[in-house]
C-alpha cells in the first residue's frame, strides 16, 4: 500500500481539519468558513488571483451569505481538467462546535454535532492543493469547488454556472465516511406541500358547522399510508421513499390555537425520493390523491368541503453512473492502488453530485472519515481521513488511461 501512497503530511492535514471544524458556518452562513479556506489556500501557495467566488447566492431563493468558492490550478502536465468538490456548510446542530481529539478520533463536546460533514472535505481539498504545490507533483488542470447550502437543498450546486467549472470532464466529490465506498449514483427528490382551508366553528356548541382542516390532513395521511405511498414505497412500476416533515399552520405556527375551535387551516409538507424522477413524481401524486379523498370525507352540515391546494416540484434529479464510466474507472484504479476494495454505492440521500452530474460533469463521491453525521455523536475517524487525503492526491496525479 505504502509504495503507491503519495506524499502526505498527516499532522498538517489534521491541523487544517481541526481549524476548519472550529469555524462556524451553518448552511446559508458560510462567509467565515469560506474566508478560512481561502486564507489556508493562499498560505499554501495558491495565488489570490486563482481564488474566486461565483454569484450563485444571488440566485438561491433563501438568504445566503456568499457564493460558491472556486479555485483554478493550472496543470503541470497535459490532460483533461479534473474537478474536486465538497461543501462548506454544516447543519445547524453544529453551531458552536468545540472539536477535540480523542485517540484516533476528533469529537465534539457532546452538546453539538461536530461538522465533519463536511469540514473533512474542505480540509482534503486544501491538503490536495498544498501537497501538489509543495512537492511539485505532476497533474492535469484542476478546479476545486466549495459549494454553499448543500445541507439545505443542494442550492449552491444547483445554481452553479457550469461555465465556471472550466470544462472539467469528471469530478471527485468528497462527502462520505468509508474510503472503500464509492458513491456512483443517488436518488432524486420531489417536494410536495398541501394547504387546507377548512371552516372554524365552536367545537362544543356547533362542531357540525365546522370543517376541520386537521382532520382532512389526518385522513389524507392515513389514506396515503393505506395505499402504500408512505415511508418505504414499493410498487410494480417503481420504488422509493416518502416522508411528512411538517404538519402545522401559518408561518410556522400550530394548525390550531384552541381546543374549542374547529381548526380552519392546516399546512403539510413532505418529500418523495426515488431512483427515477418519474416515480418520485408518482409518489407525490399518490399523496395528492390521498389528500383529495381526505377532503371528500370531511363535510359540514351543509355538505361543504374544505378548500385544498396541492403542489409538488422537483428538488434535485437522480443519477446513476455505469461502472465503466471514465470517472468510476479512475476512482477504482486509484482505490485499488491504495489497497482499498471499491464498494459501489447507490445513495438514498441527495448529494452535490446529483447536480454536478446534471451540469454535465460525471461525479463520484469518496469517503473521508465523517461518521454519525447530523448528531451530537458525530466524529471524524482520523485514519480514514488520512486515507481520503491520499486517495484524493492519487486521483489528481495518476496518469490517464
Amino acid at each position: 500500500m505504502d509504495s503507491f501512497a503519495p506524499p502526505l503530511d498527516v499532522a498538517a492535514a489534521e491541523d487544517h481539519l481541526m481549524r476548519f471544524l472550529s469555524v462556524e458556518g451553518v448552511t446559508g452562513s458560510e462567509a467565515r468558513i469560506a474566508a478560512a479556506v481561502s486564507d489556508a489556500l493562499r498560505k499554501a501557495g495558491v495565488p489570490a488571483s486563482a481564488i474566486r467566488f461565483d454569484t450563485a447566492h444571488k440566485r438561491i431563493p433563501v438568504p445566503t451569505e456568499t457564493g460558491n468558492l472556486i479555485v483554478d490550478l493550472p496543470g503541470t502536465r497535459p490532460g483533461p481538467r479534473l474537478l474536486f468538490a465538497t461543501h462548506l456548510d454544516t447543519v445547524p446542530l453544529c453551531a458552536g462546535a468545540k472539536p477535540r481529539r480523542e485517540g484516533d478520533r476528533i469529537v465534539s463536546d457532546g452538546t453539538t454535532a461536530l461538522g465533519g460533514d463536511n469540514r473533512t472535505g474542505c480540509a482534503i481539498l486544501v491538503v490536495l492543493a498544498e501537497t501538489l504545490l509543495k512537492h511539485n507533483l505532476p497533474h492535469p488542470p484542476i478546479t476545486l469547488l466549495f459549494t454553499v447550502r448543500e445541507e439545505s437543498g443542494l442550492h449552491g450546486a444547483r445554481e452553479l454556472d457550469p461555465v465556471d467549472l472550466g470544462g472539467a470532464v469528471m469530478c471527485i466529490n468528497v462527502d462520505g465516511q468509508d474510503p472503500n465506498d464509492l458513491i456512483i449514483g443517488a436518488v432524486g427528490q420531489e417536494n410536495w406541500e398541501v394547504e387546507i382551508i377548512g371552516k372554524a366553528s365552536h367545537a362544543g356548541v356547533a362542531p357540525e358547522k365546522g370543517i376541520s382542516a386537521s382532520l382532512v390532513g389526518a385522513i389524507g395521511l392515513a389514506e396515503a399510508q393505506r395505499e402504500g405511498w408512505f415511508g418505504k414505497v414499493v410498487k410494480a412500476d417503481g420504488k422509493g421513499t416518502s416522508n411528512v416533515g411538517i404538519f402545522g399552520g401559518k408561518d410556522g405556527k400550530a394548525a390550531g390555537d384552541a381546543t374549542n375551535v374547529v381548526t380552519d387551516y392546516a399546512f403539510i409538507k413532505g418529500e418523495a425520493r426515488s431512483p427515477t424522477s418519474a416515480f418520485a413524481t408518482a409518489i407525490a401524486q399518490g399523496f395528492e390523491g390521498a389528500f383529495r379523498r381526505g377532503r371528500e370525507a370531511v363535510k359540514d352540515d351543509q355538505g361543504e368541503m374544505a378548500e385544498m391546494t396541492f403542489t409538488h416540484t422537483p428538488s434535485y434529479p437522480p443519477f446513476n453512473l455505469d461502472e465503466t464510466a471514465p470517472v468510476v474507472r479512475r476512482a477504482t484504479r486509484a482505490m485499488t492502488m491504495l489497497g482499498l476494495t471499491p464498494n459501489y454505492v447507490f445513495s438514498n440521500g441527495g448529494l452535490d453530485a446529483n447536480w454536478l452530474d446534471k451540469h454535465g460533469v460525471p461525479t463520484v463521491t469518496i469517503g473521508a472519515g465523517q461518521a454519525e453525521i447530523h448528531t451530537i455523536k458525530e466524529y471524524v475517524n482520523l485514519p480514514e481521513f488520512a486515507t481520503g487525503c491520499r486517495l484524493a492526491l492519487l486521483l489528481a496525479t495518476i496518469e490517464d488511461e
Side-chain angles (χ1 to χ4, degrees), residues 18-276:
M18 284 291 287
R19 189 177 311 113
F20 295 156
L21 286 168
S22 301
V23 179
E24 191 165 309
V26 302
T27 189
S29 301
E30 295 94 341
R32 287 180 60 197
I33 183 61
V37 169
S38 299
D39 182 61
L41 287 166
R42 286 191 294 270
K43 289 178 179 177
V46 178
S49 59
I51 302 171
R52 56 196 168 90
F53 290 87
D54 70 7
T55 58
H57 60 304
K58 296 181 179 179
R59 297 183 291 276
I60 293 172
V62 285
T64 308
E65 285 183 343
T66 185
N68 299 310
L69 172 60
I70 303 172
V71 181
D72 297 310
L73 303 176
T76 58
R77 64 170 171 82
R81 179 173 292 274
L82 302 178
L83 175 65
F84 285 80
T86 193
H87 63 87
L88 291 166
D89 58 321
T90 64
V91 294
L93 188 59
C94 296
K98 297 177 177 62
R100 59 185 174 84
R101 182 153 182 168
E102 193 175 84
D104 284 339
R105 294 180 174 184
I106 298 176
V107 300
S108 73
D109 65 0
T111 64
T112 71
L114 178 65
D117 176 18
N118 201 7
R119 299 303 160 74
T120 55
C122 294
I124 282 181
L125 265 58
V126 169
V127 168
L128 174 61
E130 184 175 60
T131 307
L132 293 177
L133 292 169
K134 180 179 180 180
H135 295 281
N136 195 29
L137 299 177
H139 63 85
I142 289 174
T143 294
L144 308 179
L145 170 67
F146 302 81
T147 65
V148 296
R149 274 206 180 272
E150 190 269 358
E151 296 288 6
S152 50
L154 313 181
H155 288 292
R158 179 175 187 159
E159 299 302 336
L160 179 76
D161 184 345
V163 172
D164 284 329
L165 302 180
V169 300
M170 63 179 69
C171 175
I172 294 87
N173 182 43
V174 186
D175 194 7
Q177 179 180 1
D178 188 343
N180 288 286
D181 287 344
L182 187 65
I183 300 176
I184 62 173
V187 294
Q189 179 173 314
E190 184 126 349
N191 294 334
W192 59 261
E193 57 186 51
V194 59
E195 185 178 51
I196 304 166
I197 302 174
K199 186 170 71 173
S201 179
H202 194 292
V205 175
E208 72 281 1
K209 295 184 180 297
I211 303 173
S212 172
S214 294
L215 183 58
V216 171
I219 292 174
L221 292 177
E223 281 286 297
Q225 193 276 336
R226 185 182 64 81
E227 295 169 2
W229 295 115
F230 196 99
K232 186 176 182 180
V233 181
V234 179
K235 300 283 188 179
D237 55 344
K239 62 180 181 178
T241 62
S242 73
N243 186 53
V244 175
I246 297 170
F247 193 139
K250 296 179 180 178
D251 303 321
K253 297 179 182 178
D257 55 13
T259 61
N260 64 349
V261 180
V262 175
T263 308
D264 65 352
Y265 182 87
F267 174 79
I268 307 171
K269 186 174 184 177
E271 66 167 44
R273 300 187 186 196
S274 175
T276 69

Side-chain angles (χ1 to χ4, degrees), residues 83 157 160 162 165 169-171 173 184-186 317-322 325 327-328 351-364:
L83 175 65
L160 179 76
L165 302 180
V169 300
M170 63 179 69
C171 175
N173 182 43
I184 62 173
F319 78 103
N320 195 7
L321 300 178
D322 191 272
V327 66
V328 178
L351 303 153
D352 277 343
N354 290 65
W355 280 111
L356 293 171
D357 183 81
K358 182 72 171 180
H359 290 323
V361 187
T363 301
V364 294

